[in-house]
Amino acid sequence: MERDHADVITPGKMDQNDSEPADLNKVNSKVNSLRVSTSRDITETPTQKPAKVTSSAEQENQIREDEETHGENAQKQLVIYDPDVAAAGAASTATGKRPHARRNSLANYTSRAADVGAFAVQCARCFKWRYMPTKEKYEEIREHILEQPFYCETTREWRSDKSCDDPPDLTQDGSRLWAIDKPNISLPPPGWERLLRIRAEGGTKFADVYYVTPSGERLRSMVKVRKYLEQHPEYVARGVEEAQFSFEVPRPLQEGYVKKRSAPSRDINSVSDVNPISWAAPEGNTDLLGGPVPSAPSDAAPLDVPNGNSPKKPKLMGESDSVVIA
DNA sequence: GCCACCGGTGGC
DNA sequence: GCCACCGGTGGC
């Protein structure tokens, strides 16, 4: 295949010395530096099955089924995006005028797009979510997630030392925006960065991917990458190749986050919709994530802050969001 | 003027 | 219907 170039970086044991749960603080600080303005009213109809809890055996079967059905692993790696300040966003958009401000200072985040706040990966065994200490580590794991499933013990690599017996690092409550990432995306070449920008709610797209070249240029399509490499053969000489780039974006779990394209021509059929199946219940696959999440006791998800006053009722995933598995 | 962000669309 | 790609533009 074209994506086997695992030797590009092979950090093998790249252990950044993030020990301890301080890792999470790290993640947090990242989060805090980027705000989101999405006014994601949770108008989600709670029609989804409320996270049925099944035996792990059942789940494994479920997983297997899904794997066969969808040809994808059941274990999803996630990009989590913290829409805290939802209220702020709502305020600015309520005026009807374009709040086309760019965030920079975290003080005035009237912006819409934002960076991903934190990354988590689901254990293939217990299905609990584990924070990734850094985006880089996340990307490493994602690159081979299909062949090398992630387990809680993997957190040893950054000395987090979680096991399946430990409570989850976080659960899918309504306090964040969750998105399912695509598996096996190649690491960016050394010196390059893959940038994921989440768009504001209600737009026509969920996110954008940019590659930042070592010299700081931003490339936003394969066409541009190709062109760039042509003009900079030195990178090619050093082994940079197109296969190392992917502009795939995650999918939001929150249905309706992205506006559907309005039908170009009114077709009598489509006008009265009639076809709720077409995307109301996509993939027909709604329980994976809702699985085993142990009712997340008080394990105070490190990221939820602003909504500290929200109902502390442990909402299981699927309860407020319809789970859309990519 | 630059660029981050968004919308639109053509091709699959 | 999705998504790769690109044009437009508001805010700086």
Side-chain angles (χ1 to χ4, degrees):
Chain A
M1 292 300 225
E2 62 291 50
R3 59 181 13 153
D4 254 347
H5 45 272
D7 27 326
V8 179
I9 281 194
T10 317
K13 252 353 178 194
M14 116 183 214
D15 39 354
Q16 34 242 142
N17 272 339
D18 322 321
S19 44
E20 333 247 329
D23 296 339
L24 300 183
N25 294 334
K26 221 177 185 181
V27 174
N28 269 336
S29 61
K30 230 180 198 170
V31 169
N32 291 336
S33 68
L34 299 154
R35 294 331 240 230
V36 179
S37 67
T38 52
S39 59
R40 53 192 295 271
D41 45 347
I42 307 184
T43 49
E44 243 10 281
T45 53
T47 54
Q48 299 298 339
K49 53 192 90 172
K52 65 176 180 190
V53 177
T54 57
S55 78
S56 52
E58 272 177 297
Q59 273 156 16
E60 279 179 24
N61 289 336
Q62 178 69 49
I63 299 311
R64 222 155 268 135
E65 275 179 30
D66 289 321
E67 277 177 355
E68 286 160 14
T69 309
H70 302 289
E72 272 186 37
N73 68 330
Q75 175 200 359
K76 303 298 179 182
Q77 60 280 23
L78 279 207
V79 176
I80 299 156
Y81 173 56
D82 188 355
D84 46 19
V85 295
S92 64
T93 52
T95 67
K97 52 185 297 187
R98 309 257 124 180
H100 206 94
R102 223 162 289 152
R103 45 68 257 196
N104 270 329
S105 72
L106 27 160
N108 56 358
Y109 40 80
T110 38
S111 72
R112 289 90 114 240
D115 265 335
V116 172
F119 300 90
V121 179
Q122 193 178 36
C123 172
R125 187 184 307 114
C126 70
F127 304 98
K128 289 170 187 165
W129 294 102
R130 299 298 176 198
Y131 277 123
M132 297 295 107
T134 62
K135 171 184 173 185
E136 289 69 31
K137 178 52 78 176
Y138 172 79
E139 289 181 328
E140 283 178 46
I141 290 175
R142 178 180 60 187
E143 181 174 31
H144 300 295
I145 189 81
L146 294 179
E147 316 89 77
Q148 302 171 17
F150 171 84
Y151 298 105
C152 287
E153 297 81 56
T154 310
T155 60
R156 271 198 289 251
E157 288 181 30
W158 55 92
R159 300 189 191 75
S160 180
D161 290 321
K162 293 287 169 51
S163 82
C164 291
D165 294 331
D166 293 311
D169 291 352
L170 75 171
T171 59
Q172 198 204 12
D173 51 21
S175 66
R176 306 174 188 78
L177 176 56
W178 288 64
I180 306 235
D181 209 357
K182 297 292 192 337
N184 284 43
I185 292 178
S186 184
L187 279 170
W192 294 61
E193 188 189 6
R194 186 178 192 269
L195 218 52
L196 176 65
R197 300 287 297 170
I198 306 296
R199 292 193 179 190
E201 184 173 7
T204 57
K205 288 183 55 185
F206 177 61
D208 295 291
V209 171
Y210 302 95
Y211 279 90
V212 184
T213 72
S215 57
E217 252 175 277
R218 285 191 174 203
L219 309 179
R220 56 173 184 163
S221 71
M222 282 308 292
V223 173
K224 300 295 185 189
V225 168
R226 221 165 282 138
K227 209 169 287 177
Y228 186 87
L229 292 181
E230 279 170 17
Q231 294 168 350
H232 301 266
E234 29 338 332
Y235 291 111
V236 181
R238 274 179 248 158
V240 177
E241 50 185 59
E242 291 180 24
Q244 291 172 283
F245 299 85
S246 164
F247 289 88
E248 291 181 290
V249 298
R251 288 171 179 250
L253 289 192
Q254 182 188 328
E255 201 171 310
Y257 187 89
V258 176
K259 190 176 59 188
K260 285 287 172 183
R261 210 220 289 203
S262 54
S265 68
R266 357 16 137 359
D267 189 79
I268 299 181
N269 277 341
S270 61
V271 164
S272 54
D273 82 315
V274 217
N275 214 2
I277 338 158
S278 49
W279 54 271
E283 331 295 332
N285 178 357
T286 53
D287 44 8
L288 278 185
L289 294 171
V293 181
S295 43
S298 50
D299 85 308
L303 283 188
D304 62 7
V305 185
N307 301 346
N309 47 0
S310 59
K312 195 48 190 184
K313 178 183 159 201
K315 259 209 279 193
L316 296 182
M317 44 184 25
E319 196 172 332
S320 68
D321 288 339
S322 46
V323 181
V324 182
I325 306 296

